[in-house]
Amino acid sequence: MFRFGTRNIASAISGSAACQRRALNVHEYSSKQLLKEQGASVEFGVMCESIEAVKAACAQIKTDKKVVKSQILAGGRGKGTFTDGYQGGVKVTSSTEEAVEVASKMLNNTLVTKQTGPQGIKVTKLFVTEAVKGITKELYVALVLDRAAYKPCFIVSTEGGMAIEEVAIEKPECIKKMHVDLNKGFDKAAAQKLATDLGLTEKTAQSLSTQMEAIYRLAKTKDATMVEINPLVVLEDESTMCIDAKLNFDDNAQFRRKDIWKHEDINQKDPKEIAAAKWDLQYIALDGEVGCMVNGAGLAMSTMDIISLYGAKPANFLDAGGSAQEDQIVAAFEIIASDKNVKVLLVNIFGGIVKCDMIANGIVAAVKKLSAKGGFNLPLVVRLSGTNEEAGKKILAESGLTITSCANLDEAGRVAADLAKKSA
């Protein structure tokens, strides 16, 4: 079922930037498989992890031309560049021989795109597909969650192949939206009207509505928070086909969607994020130098803003949550300290359910444990406020550790930023 919690997005509707969140992303080949299972039309393709597999895949593909697609969890693959200078992570080839040659240049190479950062992502999987013939038009179709309306919302545009954010600014008249009433279910007649309003023929409108119904069925039955097809193409016979797909799933649904989580590629996740998930810590690696451990997502975002205000950059988002225990604090320190870019560690705790003295004990235990391993030599800035605040500060003061204690968030952010700049 659909959820409208804080992790769901509706930025494509409201125009606001989507906040960072943990969610399961799956590769294109997995997305196509899941869409096909729900009745959507997709091109034939095979996931390959070796050159031999590419040769076998090409033997199954009936079209002379084959498309070789790098499988990484980032956009901009087609315009990306491999670290050895090879251009393009998606290639249309004219023969099996060319497909194998292209695959040999992509496989186990590192692809850099606008979304990967300069370090890029290693390509260990390829999706080799048939080349779709007779494309007459490219559309954009997405199903997202509109938190304002508390309904799923389809976004459809005649400008497929483009970033929907650019279309919304440059050609807003080319975008149509359709909400789905959760009580009534998918309205096929409304979907057909949307399609004809975009200038599509009656036959194409019927085909598109069938695709949209399959997309809705996938999202509803598998806890998807977003299904994006860009492009969804119109063919010469006026039928439609999904030839690219991006799916996100609600990470809270993992316990009941084990079939979906089988598609997770943990090799493309930051090892620190994998470790954090094991301890139920909300962690996202960033590219700054001030490590952060905070309880509460809102306070974590404020902490990151203060760090930036004073001229430094946060190295991570880490929300220890409202029920953090001492062993989680130790794990959080280990994860943050493992980031070689971190120059200082800032702990910002507002005690409520989580008591400041428990956090203080966790900090002392973490520093002593890591120091014993020779793995902790970072300046430590701590701000404690709230339940058992004085007891927590006393524990830190009597610990014998070098800790800079701050009275408020502003001071803590300024001190942490200054220490980071001195260590640069």
Side-chain angles (χ1 to χ4, degrees), residues 168-180:
I169 296 171
E170 298 171 7
K171 298 181 179 180
E173 70 281 1
C174 294
I175 298 176
K176 299 291 183 182
K177 301 172 188 174
M178 185 187 89
H179 287 92
V180 180

Side-chain angles (χ1 to χ4, degrees), residues 290-293 303 307 344-348 380-383 412-413 416:
V290 180
C292 307
M293 193 198 81
T303 303
I307 291 168
V344 57
L345 200 162
L346 169 58
V347 178
N348 182 23
L380 182 57
V381 179
V382 179
R383 177 252 183 167

Side-chain angles (χ1 to χ4, degrees), residues 8 10-11 59 89 110 146 163 168 241 269 272 336 343 409 416:
N8 300 142
S11 60
T110 300
D146 184 348
M241 179 181 288
K269 294 180 69 174
K272 296 188 293 296
I336 295 171
K343 306 300 182 186
L409 173 57

Side-chain angles (χ1 to χ4, degrees), residues 306-326:
I306 288 292
I307 291 168
S308 299
L309 178 67
Y310 284 107
K313 295 172 66 178
N316 63 274
F317 169 98
L318 193 151
D319 173 12
S323 57
Q325 300 299 313
E326 186 174 315

